Amino acid sequence: MFKKFRKRKAVAPQSQAHSLPVAPTEDHRRLMQLLCYSNPFAASQPIEPNPAHPADFVDDDYQPYKWIFDALGVELDAAEVRDALKKDTSPIPATINREGYSGDRHLEYWVDGFAAYKQLTAMAATYGVRGGNYFDFGGSTGRVFRHFHFQSQDWKVWSSDFKMTSVDWNLLHFPNDIMAFQGVYFPFLPIEDRTFDLISAMSVFTHIDETETSWLLELRRIMKPDGIAIITIHNDDTWLNMNPMLREVIEKYSPELAAHSTLPPGRSVSNFRFDDPYRCNTFHSDDYIRTQWGRFFEVKAIINRASGAQAAVILKKPA
């Protein structure tokens, strides 16, 4: 084989007229940011001093937050909340470092994540998943995933986010056995096949458009057989019960979409900016979820208003 290779006729090199280095344009730089790097807008966002710790609120009255538990279908047990606050030893991030959740109401932020943890684990248990590896896809600074770590010995916790400062905050303030890492915009997760028993994506696919199916396939790849994914979406019910703030954004940027009294069939995308991948609100009809997401998963349930106005889609990976 080597002799044959050496006897091959030499091929004249192609013209080099277009091979000289060219300075990257702004579009090239933006493309590389979109494909490879973290959110450039969030990267410039500072990590602010942490305003509180869970232990600061152990002696508070938790009844004002009963509405959060009621909305998620979870029972408020004041003694359980008090014990949970004592177990959690990481600080609460500043409002600017937690996607603005709960404004400056720091205990409300913590309670909101704790109630979501209780809801997610109850949903997962319904389908036989009670522990194992858990992945919070787009987990920001741990509103939800911190509780999987501090409140139970049953879960090994992973999280990714494309916002550099969010990941930096996690690496600074959470224990080393929480596997927090930097994500990218391109649909790729540096994780082995069949790793996770439970995956959640809270308010993530509400802002994904073109790369949706590729991300779904990545989540499918890293799920164990019989694993569960719980993904929140804007669906038909969300459209009918849309909060005024979201309605205002849709009317401003997509008036032709806002004119519909009911959610159009399929998937509808309203872009509100064009300089950042976190740029759109995405809506999915229930039928679209069952037919299109159903190509890759068993769609076990679509639960309306499971997370505020968002529905929760429960997906099971076929064995």
Side-chain angles (χ1 to χ4, degrees), residues 186-214:
F186 190 77
F188 167 74
L189 292 166
I191 298 170
E192 295 178 1
D193 296 357
R194 302 185 176 194
T195 295
F196 294 107
D197 301 274
L198 174 63
I199 296 171
S200 68
M202 314 296 285
S203 296
V204 176
F205 281 83
T206 50
H207 302 287
I208 294 177
D209 50 0
E210 291 97 339
T211 58
E212 174 186 283
T213 51
S214 297

Side-chain angles (χ1 to χ4, degrees), residues 200-277:
S200 68
M202 314 296 285
S203 296
V204 176
F205 281 83
T206 50
H207 302 287
I208 294 177
D209 50 0
E210 291 97 339
T211 58
E212 174 186 283
T213 51
S214 297
W215 276 119
L216 287 172
L217 285 170
E218 269 298 90
L219 296 184
R220 186 182 190 276
R221 179 183 64 78
I222 64 175
M223 287 172 66
K224 291 181 180 179
D226 293 325
I228 291 291
I230 302 173
I231 297 175
T232 67
I233 61 167
H234 294 140
N235 73 333
D236 300 79
D237 183 78
T238 307
W239 188 267
L240 295 175
N241 297 281
M242 196 183 309
N243 69 61
M245 185 178 298
L246 180 57
R247 171 70 67 182
E248 183 179 349
V249 172
I250 304 304
E251 289 176 347
K252 179 178 180 179
Y253 293 99
S254 303
E256 72 292 344
L257 177 60
H260 290 269
S261 59
T262 58
L263 182 64
R267 185 184 64 177
S268 301
V269 178
S270 173
N271 287 290
F272 54 82
R273 63 188 298 171
F274 295 95
D275 58 351
D276 183 359

Side-chain angles (χ1 to χ4, degrees), residues 112-302:
D112 186 45
F114 178 71
Y117 152 75
K118 297 284 290 182
Q119 179 198 45
L120 289 172
T121 52
M123 287 179 175
T126 300
Y127 296 94
V129 177
R130 295 177 174 81
N133 290 328
Y134 164 64
F135 180 42
D136 192 352
F137 177 54
S140 186
T141 46
R143 181 182 67 92
V144 175
F145 72 73
R146 68 187 297 147
H147 300 284
F148 278 82
H149 173 79
F150 287 114
Q151 306 308 325
S152 174
Q153 300 297 313
D154 296 330
W155 301 97
K156 175 65 177 177
V157 178
W158 294 59
S159 178
S160 71
D161 201 274
F162 65 44
K163 293 191 174 182
M164 183 182 296
T165 48
S166 294
V167 177
D168 286 346
W169 194 96
N170 295 337
L171 297 176
L172 280 170
H173 296 296
F174 283 128
N176 287 348
D177 45 357
I178 291 180
M179 308 295 285
F181 67 93
Q182 180 74 51
V184 294
Y185 298 143
F186 190 77
F188 167 74
L189 292 166
I191 298 170
E192 295 178 1
D193 296 357
R194 302 185 176 194
T195 295
F196 294 107
D197 301 274
L198 174 63
I199 296 171
S200 68
M202 314 296 285
S203 296
V204 176
F205 281 83
T206 50
H207 302 287
I208 294 177
D209 50 0
E210 291 97 339
T211 58
E212 174 186 283
T213 51
S214 297
W215 276 119
L216 287 172
L217 285 170
E218 269 298 90
L219 296 184
R220 186 182 190 276
R221 179 183 64 78
I222 64 175
M223 287 172 66
K224 291 181 180 179
D226 293 325
I228 291 291
I230 302 173
I231 297 175
T232 67
I233 61 167
H234 294 140
N235 73 333
D236 300 79
D237 183 78
T238 307
W239 188 267
L240 295 175
N241 297 281
M242 196 183 309
N243 69 61
M245 185 178 298
L246 180 57
R247 171 70 67 182
E248 183 179 349
V249 172
I250 304 304
E251 289 176 347
K252 179 178 180 179
Y253 293 99
S254 303
E256 72 292 344
L257 177 60
H260 290 269
S261 59
T262 58
L263 182 64
R267 185 184 64 177
S268 301
V269 178
S270 173
N271 287 290
F272 54 82
R273 63 188 298 171
F274 295 95
D275 58 351
D276 183 359
Y278 191 79
R279 70 187 185 279
C280 64
N281 287 299
T282 304
F283 296 82
H284 302 85
S285 71
D286 291 349
D287 182 66
Y288 178 91
I289 293 295
R290 294 189 180 97
T291 57
Q292 303 306 323
W293 288 23
R295 294 173 184 272
F296 314 117
F297 299 93
E298 295 177 34
V299 180
K300 305 301 291 187
I302 301 173

